[in-house]
Amino acid sequence: MKKECVAMLLAGGQGSRLYVLTGDMAKPAVPFGGKFRIIDFPLSNCTNSGIDTVGVLTQYRPLELNSYIGNGQPWELDRANGGVHILPPYQSASGASWYKGTANAIYQNIGFVDLYDPDYVAVLSGDHIYKMDYSDMLRRHKAAGAACTISVMEVPWAEASRFGIMAVDEEGRITEFAEKPKEPKSNLASMGIYIFTWRKLRQYLIEDEADPASENDFGKNIIPQMLQNGENMVAYRFEGYWKDVGTLDSLWDANMDMLLPGSGLNLLDRRWPIYGRTPVCPPAFVGPEADVGNSAVARGCTILGEVKNSVLSTGTSVGEGAGVGYSVVMPDAVIEPGARVAYAIVGEGCHIGAGARVGAPPETAEDPDQWGIAVLGPGTVVAPGEIVTPGTMLDRRHSEEVEA
């Protein structure tokens, strides 16, 4: 049963900054890129990196995520020795509790990790879009004899306060670390991707759990404590595409990056495929009067109107005379004839009535500071002829009002 490295994938977050999109599902289960879900990226990275044992720690609204992962077959993680395992909070003899923080989530699953007696543990986030070879990071970790290796990249200074920020010496050893500092001293940011020597991490998790003042968080507690104790901690500089899609704008941006040559997000690369569970559906149908350009169109779509610079997920329908531009349309949405959708995120199963208007280009705004992406939560119904202005966010409760 022994494994060199086990991955623990933190996928239990509510994703509150995605608002209506995560009302009924965890953030890692949110659709992305026409045929994927966000969690497909770290799972595929594990497979492509040779890590065949993954624990997925779920908590908030786990049903859809658990059903989607299933036995792990799409990611080649359906294995008798290892594979993918769903790890929700559970009740023990001493009681039960939700995962209190990222470190506590791993602590509650020490028994699972110990089953495989690994030398190393990779702790990953389930809500990032990126392609990374964890085996390169592991080689860096082993070569440095590190207790902890943190994947880092430089971010714009204006965004640095959103991340864990660190300073490193000339050999890449971490000398300072601050979690989301108000006045960052550096723009070298933690990506929330760690590799630990398991023996060391296990000790720190137990000590952290015994501290009643701890928030049981890697960035706030475990990492600073290891640094304070003088542990050998090194940075692994990542230079590829990476985006934390924890906000509506960043989710829309990442989908648009798919369509932009040179963005770094190339999902056609056969050397590093992104795997996912593909629904059984017919090929996409593009009608004789349809006009499609620079867009990703998934299987099962029916397009009779115009689609430009957009991502259409499986089962989407665009009626005659309808137009979709610079938008992300999630599975099974219906856009009726004559409707117009621009600069919007349309959730799963939405129904946009004939002649309705959802969103608008930024140049149409009288006050650019008030403009924003229009967002429809899953199952929202927009009435025929209704106008949903830029920056508006609606969910199915709006639909109930419309139907009433």
Side-chain angles (χ1 to χ4, degrees), residues 271-285:
R271 296 170 297 178
W272 199 269
I274 301 300
Y275 303 100
R277 190 176 294 282
T278 303
V280 177
C281 51
F285 174 77

Side-chain angles (χ1 to χ4, degrees), residues 50-194:
I51 297 176
D52 64 7
T53 305
V54 183
V56 180
L57 287 73
T58 62
Q59 178 163 280
Y60 173 79
R61 298 282 189 176
L63 178 59
E64 186 156 0
L65 185 62
N66 294 356
S67 298
Y68 181 74
I69 294 173
N71 67 352
Q73 184 274 331
W75 306 272
E76 299 180 3
L77 291 172
D78 52 336
R79 296 169 181 262
N81 180 15
V84 65
H85 299 262
I86 305 296
L87 303 173
Y90 60 90
Q91 184 170 0
S92 65
S94 59
S97 68
W98 293 110
Y99 293 145
K100 294 178 288 185
T102 53
N104 174 258
I106 306 299
Y107 169 82
Q108 288 198 38
N109 290 284
I110 283 177
F112 168 79
V113 180
D114 282 344
L115 281 175
Y116 297 97
D117 188 25
D119 299 314
Y120 310 101
V121 170
V123 178
L124 314 172
S125 294
D127 53 5
H128 298 163
I129 301 297
Y130 68 113
K131 296 192 288 186
M132 176 188 285
D133 189 343
Y134 303 134
S135 66
D136 283 345
M137 185 174 173
L138 181 57
R139 279 190 287 271
R140 161 75 169 148
H141 180 86
K142 292 192 289 187
C148 171
T149 299
I150 303 176
S151 184
V152 301
M153 68 186 307
E154 293 184 1
V155 298
W157 278 94
E159 299 180 15
S161 60
R162 293 177 46 222
F163 299 91
I165 297 296
M166 65 200 73
V168 298
D169 63 20
E170 61 277 3
E171 295 181 349
R173 289 187 171 85
I174 299 169
T175 58
E176 293 182 58
F177 182 89
E179 179 70 4
K180 299 180 180 178
K182 292 183 178 179
E183 298 182 0
K185 298 180 182 179
S186 161
N187 67 336
L188 192 62
S190 166
M191 298 166 61
I193 300 166
Y194 314 105

Side-chain angles (χ1 to χ4, degrees), residues 4-80:
E4 181 184 34
C5 184
V6 167
M8 299 294 278
L9 180 51
L10 300 169
Q14 178 178 356
S16 58
R17 292 178 299 163
L18 290 180
Y19 301 100
V20 296
L21 296 180
T22 51
D24 295 322
M25 70 178 76
K27 181 166 52 173
V30 170
F32 179 86
K35 65 159 291 185
F36 303 104
R37 294 183 184 259
I38 295 172
I39 199 169
D40 288 333
F41 288 80
L43 286 176
S44 298
N45 288 339
C46 287
T47 296
N48 293 331
S49 301
I51 297 176
D52 64 7
T53 305
V54 183
V56 180
L57 287 73
T58 62
Q59 178 163 280
Y60 173 79
R61 298 282 189 176
L63 178 59
E64 186 156 0
L65 185 62
N66 294 356
S67 298
Y68 181 74
I69 294 173
N71 67 352
Q73 184 274 331
W75 306 272
E76 299 180 3
L77 291 172
D78 52 336
R79 296 169 181 262

